[in-house]
Short mmCIF file of all heavy atoms in Angstrom, two decimals:
data_model
loop_
_atom_site.label_atom_id
_atom_site.label_comp_id
_atom_site.label_asym_id
_atom_site.label_seq_id
_atom_site.Cartn_x
_atom_site.Cartn_y
_atom_site.Cartn_z
N THR X 510 -22.05 -20.26 32.03
CA THR X 510 -20.90 -19.96 32.88
C THR X 510 -20.70 -21.11 33.85
O THR X 510 -21.65 -21.83 34.17
CB THR X 510 -21.11 -18.65 33.67
OG1 THR X 510 -22.30 -18.76 34.45
CG2 THR X 510 -21.21 -17.46 32.76
N LYS X 511 -19.45 -21.29 34.29
CA LYS X 511 -19.19 -22.35 35.26
C LYS X 511 -18.37 -21.79 36.40
O LYS X 511 -17.62 -20.82 36.25
CB LYS X 511 -18.49 -23.53 34.61
CG LYS X 511 -17.09 -23.27 34.13
CD LYS X 511 -16.50 -24.52 33.54
CE LYS X 511 -15.08 -24.27 33.10
NZ LYS X 511 -14.43 -25.47 32.58
N GLU X 512 -18.52 -22.44 37.55
CA GLU X 512 -17.83 -22.01 38.77
C GLU X 512 -17.44 -23.26 39.54
O GLU X 512 -18.25 -24.16 39.73
CB GLU X 512 -18.78 -21.14 39.59
CG GLU X 512 -18.25 -20.74 40.93
CD GLU X 512 -19.27 -19.94 41.73
OE1 GLU X 512 -20.46 -19.96 41.40
OE2 GLU X 512 -18.86 -19.32 42.71
N ILE X 513 -16.18 -23.32 39.98
CA ILE X 513 -15.72 -24.42 40.82
C ILE X 513 -15.49 -23.86 42.21
O ILE X 513 -14.72 -22.92 42.40
CB ILE X 513 -14.44 -25.05 40.26
CG1 ILE X 513 -14.72 -25.65 38.89
CG2 ILE X 513 -13.90 -26.11 41.22
CD1 ILE X 513 -13.49 -26.20 38.19
N LYS X 514 -16.20 -24.44 43.19
CA LYS X 514 -16.12 -23.95 44.57
C LYS X 514 -16.23 -25.13 45.53
O LYS X 514 -17.15 -25.93 45.43
CB LYS X 514 -17.27 -22.96 44.83
CG LYS X 514 -17.25 -22.33 46.18
CD LYS X 514 -18.24 -21.17 46.31
CE LYS X 514 -19.66 -21.63 46.11
NZ LYS X 514 -20.64 -20.59 46.43
N ASP X 515 -15.27 -25.27 46.42
CA ASP X 515 -15.26 -26.33 47.44
C ASP X 515 -15.42 -27.73 46.85
O ASP X 515 -16.18 -28.55 47.35
CB ASP X 515 -16.35 -26.07 48.48
CG ASP X 515 -16.15 -24.77 49.23
OD1 ASP X 515 -14.99 -24.40 49.44
OD2 ASP X 515 -17.16 -24.14 49.59
N GLY X 516 -14.72 -28.01 45.74
CA GLY X 516 -14.78 -29.34 45.14
C GLY X 516 -16.07 -29.63 44.40
O GLY X 516 -16.39 -30.78 44.14
N GLU X 517 -16.82 -28.60 44.04
CA GLU X 517 -18.08 -28.77 43.33
C GLU X 517 -18.09 -27.88 42.10
O GLU X 517 -17.65 -26.73 42.15
CB GLU X 517 -19.26 -28.40 44.23
CG GLU X 517 -19.35 -29.28 45.46
CD GLU X 517 -20.40 -28.82 46.45
OE1 GLU X 517 -20.92 -27.70 46.30
OE2 GLU X 517 -20.69 -29.58 47.38
N LEU X 518 -18.55 -28.42 40.98
CA LEU X 518 -18.67 -27.67 39.74
C LEU X 518 -20.12 -27.26 39.55
O LEU X 518 -21.02 -28.09 39.62
CB LEU X 518 -18.24 -28.54 38.56
CG LEU X 518 -18.52 -28.00 37.16
CD1 LEU X 518 -17.67 -26.77 36.87
CD2 LEU X 518 -18.29 -29.07 36.12
N TYR X 519 -20.35 -25.97 39.35
CA TYR X 519 -21.69 -25.43 39.10
C TYR X 519 -21.73 -24.86 37.69
O TYR X 519 -20.82 -24.12 37.30
CB TYR X 519 -22.00 -24.31 40.09
CG TYR X 519 -22.02 -24.74 41.53
CD1 TYR X 519 -20.86 -24.66 42.31
CD2 TYR X 519 -23.17 -25.22 42.11
CE1 TYR X 519 -20.87 -25.05 43.64
CE2 TYR X 519 -23.19 -25.61 43.45
CZ TYR X 519 -22.04 -25.53 44.20
OH TYR X 519 -22.05 -25.92 45.51
N VAL X 520 -22.75 -25.19 36.93
CA VAL X 520 -22.92 -24.64 35.58
C VAL X 520 -24.23 -23.88 35.55
O VAL X 520 -25.28 -24.40 35.95
CB VAL X 520 -22.91 -25.76 34.51
CG1 VAL X 520 -23.12 -25.16 33.12
CG2 VAL X 520 -21.61 -26.53 34.55
N TYR X 521 -24.15 -22.66 35.04
CA TYR X 521 -25.32 -21.77 34.98
C TYR X 521 -25.63 -21.46 33.52
O TYR X 521 -24.72 -21.29 32.71
CB TYR X 521 -25.03 -20.46 35.71
CG TYR X 521 -24.70 -20.62 37.16
CD1 TYR X 521 -23.39 -20.79 37.59
CD2 TYR X 521 -25.70 -20.60 38.13
CE1 TYR X 521 -23.09 -20.94 38.93
CE2 TYR X 521 -25.40 -20.75 39.47
CZ TYR X 521 -24.09 -20.92 39.87
OH TYR X 521 -23.79 -21.06 41.19
N ALA X 522 -26.90 -21.36 33.18
CA ALA X 522 -27.36 -20.89 31.87
C ALA X 522 -28.17 -19.64 32.11
O ALA X 522 -29.20 -19.69 32.79
CB ALA X 522 -28.21 -21.94 31.17
N ASN X 523 -27.68 -18.51 31.59
CA ASN X 523 -28.33 -17.21 31.80
C ASN X 523 -28.55 -16.92 33.28
O ASN X 523 -29.60 -16.42 33.68
CB ASN X 523 -29.65 -17.13 31.04
CG ASN X 523 -29.43 -17.18 29.55
OD1 ASN X 523 -28.40 -16.78 29.04
ND2 ASN X 523 -30.40 -17.70 28.83
N GLY X 524 -27.59 -17.28 34.13
CA GLY X 524 -27.66 -17.00 35.56
C GLY X 524 -28.46 -18.00 36.38
O GLY X 524 -28.53 -17.89 37.59
N LYS X 525 -29.04 -19.01 35.74
CA LYS X 525 -29.84 -20.02 36.45
C LYS X 525 -29.04 -21.32 36.56
O LYS X 525 -28.49 -21.80 35.57
CB LYS X 525 -31.14 -20.27 35.68
CG LYS X 525 -32.04 -21.28 36.32
CD LYS X 525 -33.31 -21.48 35.50
CE LYS X 525 -34.16 -22.57 36.10
NZ LYS X 525 -35.32 -22.88 35.26
N LEU X 526 -28.97 -21.88 37.77
CA LEU X 526 -28.23 -23.12 37.98
C LEU X 526 -28.92 -24.27 37.24
O LEU X 526 -30.10 -24.54 37.44
CB LEU X 526 -28.16 -23.45 39.48
CG LEU X 526 -27.42 -24.73 39.86
CD1 LEU X 526 -25.95 -24.63 39.48
CD2 LEU X 526 -27.56 -25.00 41.34
N ILE X 527 -28.15 -24.93 36.34
CA ILE X 527 -28.72 -26.05 35.58
C ILE X 527 -28.01 -27.37 35.85
O ILE X 527 -28.56 -28.43 35.55
CB ILE X 527 -28.73 -25.76 34.07
CG1 ILE X 527 -27.31 -25.56 33.55
CG2 ILE X 527 -29.62 -24.59 33.74
CD1 ILE X 527 -27.21 -25.63 32.05
N TYR X 528 -26.78 -27.33 36.40
CA TYR X 528 -26.00 -28.56 36.54
C TYR X 528 -25.04 -28.42 37.72
O TYR X 528 -24.42 -27.37 37.89
CB TYR X 528 -25.22 -28.81 35.25
CG TYR X 528 -24.32 -30.01 35.25
CD1 TYR X 528 -24.82 -31.29 35.02
CD2 TYR X 528 -22.95 -29.89 35.45
CE1 TYR X 528 -23.99 -32.39 35.00
CE2 TYR X 528 -22.11 -30.98 35.43
CZ TYR X 528 -22.64 -32.24 35.19
OH TYR X 528 -21.82 -33.33 35.17
N LYS X 529 -24.90 -29.49 38.50
CA LYS X 529 -23.95 -29.52 39.60
C LYS X 529 -23.23 -30.86 39.58
O LYS X 529 -23.85 -31.90 39.36
CB LYS X 529 -24.67 -29.35 40.94
CG LYS X 529 -23.74 -29.37 42.13
CD LYS X 529 -24.48 -29.14 43.43
CE LYS X 529 -23.55 -29.20 44.60
NZ LYS X 529 -24.24 -28.97 45.86
N ARG X 530 -21.91 -30.83 39.79
CA ARG X 530 -21.12 -32.06 39.84
C ARG X 530 -20.18 -31.99 41.03
O ARG X 530 -19.51 -30.99 41.26
CB ARG X 530 -20.32 -32.22 38.56
CG ARG X 530 -19.47 -33.47 38.58
CD ARG X 530 -18.78 -33.68 37.28
NE ARG X 530 -18.05 -34.92 37.35
CZ ARG X 530 -17.62 -35.59 36.32
NH1 ARG X 530 -17.85 -35.14 35.13
NH2 ARG X 530 -16.96 -36.70 36.49
N TRP X 531 -20.15 -33.07 41.80
CA TRP X 531 -19.22 -33.21 42.91
C TRP X 531 -17.95 -33.82 42.33
O TRP X 531 -17.94 -34.96 41.87
CB TRP X 531 -19.81 -34.09 44.00
CG TRP X 531 -20.95 -33.45 44.70
CD1 TRP X 531 -20.89 -32.72 45.86
CD2 TRP X 531 -22.33 -33.43 44.31
NE1 TRP X 531 -22.14 -32.27 46.20
CE2 TRP X 531 -23.05 -32.68 45.26
CE3 TRP X 531 -23.04 -33.95 43.23
CZ2 TRP X 531 -24.42 -32.46 45.19
CZ3 TRP X 531 -24.40 -33.73 43.14
CH2 TRP X 531 -25.07 -32.99 44.12
N LEU X 532 -16.85 -33.06 42.34
CA LEU X 532 -15.64 -33.47 41.64
C LEU X 532 -14.94 -34.64 42.32
O LEU X 532 -14.29 -35.44 41.65
CB LEU X 532 -14.69 -32.27 41.53
CG LEU X 532 -15.26 -31.09 40.74
CD1 LEU X 532 -14.28 -29.92 40.78
CD2 LEU X 532 -15.58 -31.49 39.32
N HIS X 533 -15.06 -34.77 43.62
CA HIS X 533 -14.38 -35.85 44.34
C HIS X 533 -15.06 -37.20 44.13
O HIS X 533 -14.40 -38.23 44.12
CB HIS X 533 -14.29 -35.54 45.83
CG HIS X 533 -13.51 -34.29 46.10
ND1 HIS X 533 -12.15 -34.19 45.91
CD2 HIS X 533 -13.90 -33.07 46.52
CE1 HIS X 533 -11.74 -32.98 46.21
NE2 HIS X 533 -12.79 -32.26 46.59
N THR X 534 -16.38 -37.21 43.97
CA THR X 534 -17.11 -38.47 43.83
C THR X 534 -17.53 -38.76 42.40
O THR X 534 -17.85 -39.90 42.07
CB THR X 534 -18.36 -38.49 44.72
OG1 THR X 534 -19.26 -37.47 44.26
CG2 THR X 534 -18.01 -38.27 46.17
N GLY X 535 -17.59 -37.72 41.55
CA GLY X 535 -18.02 -37.90 40.17
C GLY X 535 -19.53 -37.88 39.99
O GLY X 535 -20.02 -38.01 38.89
N GLN X 536 -20.27 -37.75 41.09
CA GLN X 536 -21.72 -37.70 40.99
C GLN X 536 -22.15 -36.34 40.44
O GLN X 536 -21.48 -35.33 40.64
CB GLN X 536 -22.37 -37.93 42.35
CG GLN X 536 -22.14 -39.30 42.90
CD GLN X 536 -22.77 -39.48 44.27
OE1 GLN X 536 -22.88 -38.53 45.03
NE2 GLN X 536 -23.17 -40.69 44.57
N SER X 537 -23.29 -36.33 39.74
CA SER X 537 -23.78 -35.08 39.18
C SER X 537 -25.29 -35.04 39.22
O SER X 537 -25.95 -36.06 39.41
CB SER X 537 -23.28 -34.91 37.74
OG SER X 537 -23.80 -35.94 36.92
N PHE X 538 -25.83 -33.83 39.04
CA PHE X 538 -27.27 -33.65 39.06
C PHE X 538 -27.63 -32.55 38.05
O PHE X 538 -26.99 -31.49 38.04
CB PHE X 538 -27.74 -33.24 40.46
CG PHE X 538 -29.24 -33.22 40.59
CD1 PHE X 538 -29.94 -34.38 40.78
CD2 PHE X 538 -29.93 -32.03 40.50
CE1 PHE X 538 -31.32 -34.37 40.89
CE2 PHE X 538 -31.31 -32.00 40.61
CZ PHE X 538 -32.00 -33.18 40.80
N VAL X 539 -28.62 -32.81 37.22
CA VAL X 539 -29.11 -31.84 36.24
C VAL X 539 -30.38 -31.22 36.81
O VAL X 539 -31.34 -31.91 37.11
CB VAL X 539 -29.40 -32.50 34.88
CG1 VAL X 539 -29.99 -31.48 33.91
CG2 VAL X 539 -28.12 -33.11 34.31
N PHE X 540 -30.38 -29.89 36.98
CA PHE X 540 -31.52 -29.19 37.55
C PHE X 540 -32.55 -28.80 36.50
O PHE X 540 -33.74 -28.75 36.78
CB PHE X 540 -31.06 -27.92 38.28
CG PHE X 540 -30.29 -28.22 39.53
CD1 PHE X 540 -28.90 -28.28 39.50
CD2 PHE X 540 -30.93 -28.46 40.72
CE1 PHE X 540 -28.18 -28.55 40.65
CE2 PHE X 540 -30.22 -28.74 41.88
CZ PHE X 540 -28.85 -28.79 41.83
N ASP X 541 -32.11 -28.49 35.28
CA ASP X 541 -33.02 -28.03 34.25
C ASP X 541 -32.76 -28.83 32.97
O ASP X 541 -31.84 -28.54 32.22
CB ASP X 541 -32.82 -26.54 33.99
CG ASP X 541 -33.87 -25.96 33.06
OD1 ASP X 541 -34.63 -26.73 32.45
OD2 ASP X 541 -33.91 -24.72 32.94
N LYS X 542 -33.55 -29.86 32.73
CA LYS X 542 -33.33 -30.73 31.58
C LYS X 542 -33.64 -30.05 30.26
O LYS X 542 -33.15 -30.45 29.22
CB LYS X 542 -34.16 -32.00 31.72
CG LYS X 542 -33.68 -32.85 32.87
CD LYS X 542 -34.42 -34.15 32.96
CE LYS X 542 -34.05 -34.80 34.26
NZ LYS X 542 -33.41 -36.06 34.13
N LEU X 543 -34.45 -28.99 30.26
CA LEU X 543 -34.74 -28.29 29.02
C LEU X 543 -33.53 -27.48 28.55
O LEU X 543 -33.30 -27.34 27.36
CB LEU X 543 -35.95 -27.37 29.18
CG LEU X 543 -37.28 -28.08 29.42
CD1 LEU X 543 -38.39 -27.06 29.64
CD2 LEU X 543 -37.62 -28.97 28.23
N ALA X 544 -32.76 -26.93 29.48
CA ALA X 544 -31.60 -26.14 29.11
C ALA X 544 -30.38 -27.01 28.82
O ALA X 544 -29.49 -26.60 28.09
CB ALA X 544 -31.25 -25.17 30.24
N TYR X 545 -30.34 -28.21 29.34
CA TYR X 545 -29.17 -29.08 29.20
C TYR X 545 -29.66 -30.45 28.77
O TYR X 545 -30.06 -31.27 29.59
CB TYR X 545 -28.42 -29.17 30.54
CG TYR X 545 -27.18 -30.01 30.51
CD1 TYR X 545 -26.02 -29.53 29.94
CD2 TYR X 545 -27.17 -31.28 31.05
CE1 TYR X 545 -24.87 -30.30 29.91
CE2 TYR X 545 -26.03 -32.06 31.03
CZ TYR X 545 -24.88 -31.56 30.46
OH TYR X 545 -23.76 -32.32 30.44
N ASP X 546 -29.69 -30.69 27.47
CA ASP X 546 -30.11 -31.99 26.97
C ASP X 546 -29.22 -32.41 25.80
O ASP X 546 -28.24 -31.74 25.50
CB ASP X 546 -31.59 -31.98 26.58
CG ASP X 546 -31.90 -31.04 25.43
OD1 ASP X 546 -30.96 -30.45 24.85
OD2 ASP X 546 -33.08 -30.89 25.11
N LYS X 547 -29.55 -33.48 25.13
CA LYS X 547 -28.68 -33.98 24.07
C LYS X 547 -28.67 -33.08 22.84
O LYS X 547 -27.84 -33.25 21.97
CB LYS X 547 -29.08 -35.41 23.69
CG LYS X 547 -30.44 -35.53 23.04
CD LYS X 547 -30.74 -36.98 22.71
CE LYS X 547 -32.08 -37.12 22.05
NZ LYS X 547 -32.35 -38.51 21.69
N TYR X 548 -29.58 -32.14 22.75
CA TYR X 548 -29.62 -31.23 21.62
C TYR X 548 -28.97 -29.88 21.91
O TYR X 548 -29.00 -28.99 21.07
CB TYR X 548 -31.07 -31.01 21.18
CG TYR X 548 -31.74 -32.30 20.77
CD1 TYR X 548 -32.75 -32.86 21.54
CD2 TYR X 548 -31.35 -32.97 19.61
CE1 TYR X 548 -33.34 -34.05 21.17
CE2 TYR X 548 -31.93 -34.16 19.24
CZ TYR X 548 -32.94 -34.70 20.02
OH TYR X 548 -33.53 -35.89 19.66
N THR X 549 -28.37 -29.72 23.08
CA THR X 549 -27.70 -28.46 23.43
C THR X 549 -26.49 -28.27 22.51
O THR X 549 -25.71 -29.17 22.31
CB THR X 549 -27.24 -28.49 24.89
OG1 THR X 549 -28.37 -28.69 25.72
CG2 THR X 549 -26.58 -27.18 25.29
N LEU X 550 -26.36 -27.07 21.96
CA LEU X 550 -25.29 -26.80 21.01
C LEU X 550 -23.95 -26.54 21.68
O LEU X 550 -22.92 -26.61 21.05
CB LEU X 550 -25.66 -25.59 20.14
CG LEU X 550 -26.89 -25.79 19.26
CD1 LEU X 550 -27.21 -24.50 18.52
CD2 LEU X 550 -26.69 -26.93 18.28
N VAL X 551 -23.94 -26.26 22.97
CA VAL X 551 -22.71 -25.97 23.69
C VAL X 551 -22.31 -27.18 24.51
O VAL X 551 -23.12 -27.76 25.22
CB VAL X 551 -22.91 -24.74 24.61
CG1 VAL X 551 -21.66 -24.48 25.43
CG2 VAL X 551 -23.28 -23.53 23.79
N SER X 552 -21.07 -27.58 24.40
CA SER X 552 -20.56 -28.70 25.17
C SER X 552 -20.00 -28.17 26.49
O SER X 552 -19.17 -27.28 26.50
CB SER X 552 -19.47 -29.42 24.39
OG SER X 552 -18.90 -30.44 25.16
N ILE X 553 -20.45 -28.73 27.59
CA ILE X 553 -19.99 -28.31 28.91
C ILE X 553 -18.98 -29.35 29.38
O ILE X 553 -19.32 -30.49 29.62
CB ILE X 553 -21.16 -28.19 29.90
CG1 ILE X 553 -22.18 -27.21 29.36
CG2 ILE X 553 -20.67 -27.80 31.28
CD1 ILE X 553 -23.47 -27.20 30.13
N LYS X 554 -17.72 -28.94 29.48
CA LYS X 554 -16.66 -29.88 29.84
C LYS X 554 -15.89 -29.34 31.03
O LYS X 554 -15.71 -28.14 31.18
CB LYS X 554 -15.70 -30.10 28.68
CG LYS X 554 -16.32 -30.78 27.49
CD LYS X 554 -15.29 -31.03 26.44
CE LYS X 554 -15.90 -31.75 25.26
NZ LYS X 554 -14.92 -32.01 24.21
N GLU X 555 -15.41 -30.25 31.82
CA GLU X 555 -14.55 -29.90 32.95
C GLU X 555 -13.11 -29.89 32.44
O GLU X 555 -12.66 -30.83 31.80
CB GLU X 555 -14.72 -30.96 34.03
CG GLU X 555 -13.83 -30.80 35.21
CD GLU X 555 -13.99 -31.95 36.17
OE1 GLU X 555 -14.94 -32.72 36.05
OE2 GLU X 555 -13.11 -32.08 37.02
N ASN X 556 -12.38 -28.81 32.70
CA ASN X 556 -11.01 -28.69 32.26
C ASN X 556 -10.14 -28.43 33.47
O ASN X 556 -10.09 -27.33 33.99
CB ASN X 556 -10.88 -27.55 31.24
CG ASN X 556 -9.52 -27.52 30.59
OD1 ASN X 556 -8.59 -28.17 31.07
ND2 ASN X 556 -9.41 -26.78 29.53
N ASN X 557 -9.45 -29.44 33.95
CA ASN X 557 -8.65 -29.34 35.17
C ASN X 557 -7.43 -28.44 35.00
O ASN X 557 -6.94 -27.86 35.95
CB ASN X 557 -8.20 -30.71 35.63
CG ASN X 557 -9.34 -31.54 36.13
OD1 ASN X 557 -10.32 -31.01 36.64
ND2 ASN X 557 -9.24 -32.85 36.00
N LYS X 558 -6.90 -28.29 33.79
CA LYS X 558 -5.69 -27.50 33.59
C LYS X 558 -5.93 -26.02 33.77
O LYS X 558 -5.07 -25.31 34.25
CB LYS X 558 -5.13 -27.77 32.20
CG LYS X 558 -4.60 -29.18 32.04
CD LYS X 558 -4.02 -29.42 30.69
CE LYS X 558 -3.53 -30.86 30.58
NZ LYS X 558 -3.02 -31.16 29.26
N GLN X 559 -7.11 -25.51 33.37
CA GLN X 559 -7.39 -24.10 33.51
C GLN X 559 -7.97 -23.74 34.87
O GLN X 559 -7.92 -22.60 35.28
CB GLN X 559 -8.35 -23.64 32.42
CG GLN X 559 -7.73 -23.70 31.05
CD GLN X 559 -8.70 -23.26 29.98
OE1 GLN X 559 -9.87 -23.04 30.25
NE2 GLN X 559 -8.21 -23.17 28.76
N GLY X 560 -8.58 -24.68 35.56
CA GLY X 560 -9.11 -24.44 36.89
C GLY X 560 -10.55 -23.95 36.89
O GLY X 560 -11.28 -24.17 37.82
N SER X 561 -10.98 -23.24 35.85
CA SER X 561 -12.39 -22.83 35.73
C SER X 561 -12.69 -22.36 34.34
O SER X 561 -11.85 -22.18 33.53
CB SER X 561 -12.75 -21.75 36.73
OG SER X 561 -12.03 -20.57 36.45
#
Side-chain angles (χ1 to χ4, degrees):
T510 57
K511 67 178 182 177
E512 174 183 17
I513 297 175
K514 183 170 62 171
D515 298 327
E517 298 173 348
L518 169 68
Y519 298 91
V520 178
Y521 300 90
N523 295 332
K525 180 180 176 186
L526 180 63
I527 61 165
Y528 178 81
K529 180 178 179 179
R530 179 175 183 161
W531 291 266
L532 299 176
H533 299 291
T534 64
Q536 294 179 330
S537 63
F538 188 80
V539 176
F540 291 94
D541 188 350
K542 293 184 190 241
L543 294 177
Y545 181 76
D546 63 5
K547 67 180 180 178
Y548 300 110
T549 301
L550 297 176
V551 177
S552 175
I553 303 170
K554 295 184 179 180
E555 175 185 346
N556 189 346
N557 291 330
K558 292 181 181 177
Q559 293 179 353
S561 65

